[in-house]
């Protein structure tokens, strides 16, 4: 079975509602979401840990995946980083 491509949302310029809708749909349908430039959506990132906890309790499709990309930012929520699997890309 071929899965649909992931929903790709670049945060900033009021894209938080679009991101929340995409995550809600993906959690129900078992699809993937990629949130890019998350350092520009710190408001949403601050709520993300609680949002993901509610999804776990409320039930979500086990195939659901959420990927986020962000540049380093001093105000990025530490709890979200601690609960995530991380991949870094650093110059040689």
């Amino acid at each position: 079975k071929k899965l649909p491509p992931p929903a790709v949302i670049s945060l900033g310029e009021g894209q938080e509602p679009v991101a929340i809708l995409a995550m809600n749909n993906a959690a129900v349908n078992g699809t993937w979401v990629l949130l890019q430039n998350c350092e520009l959506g710190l408001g949403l990132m601050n709520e993300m840990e609680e949002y993901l906890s509610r999804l776990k309790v409320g039930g979500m499709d086990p195939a659901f995946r959420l990927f986020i990309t962000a540049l380093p930012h001093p105000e990025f929520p530490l709890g979200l980083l601690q609960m995530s699997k991380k991949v870094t890309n650093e110059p040689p």
Side-chain angles (χ1 to χ4, degrees):
K1 171 180 154 180
K2 185 171 180 168
L3 295 175
V8 179
I9 297 104
S10 294
L11 293 182
E13 301 270 339
Q15 291 299 302
E16 286 83 0
V18 176
I20 291 170
L21 181 62
M23 290 186 296
N24 287 336
N25 289 337
V28 170
N29 299 325
T31 55
W32 295 6
V33 176
L34 169 62
L35 301 181
Q36 298 176 324
N37 305 322
C38 290
E39 74 278 3
L40 301 177
L42 291 176
L44 178 60
M45 293 300 107
N46 287 326
E47 301 169 6
M48 188 66 71
E49 189 174 357
E50 181 182 329
Y51 172 80
L52 293 173
S53 296
R54 283 195 315 262
L55 277 181
K56 285 181 188 177
V57 171
M60 65 180 158
D61 191 295
F64 169 62
R65 298 291 184 272
L66 174 64
F67 299 89
I68 63 173
T69 68
L71 292 174
H73 193 285
E75 295 178 26
F76 200 87
L78 186 58
L80 180 59
L81 288 174
Q82 290 174 335
M83 70 183 292
S84 303
K85 295 185 189 280
K86 293 160 277 303
V87 177
T88 60
N89 185 13
E90 297 180 7

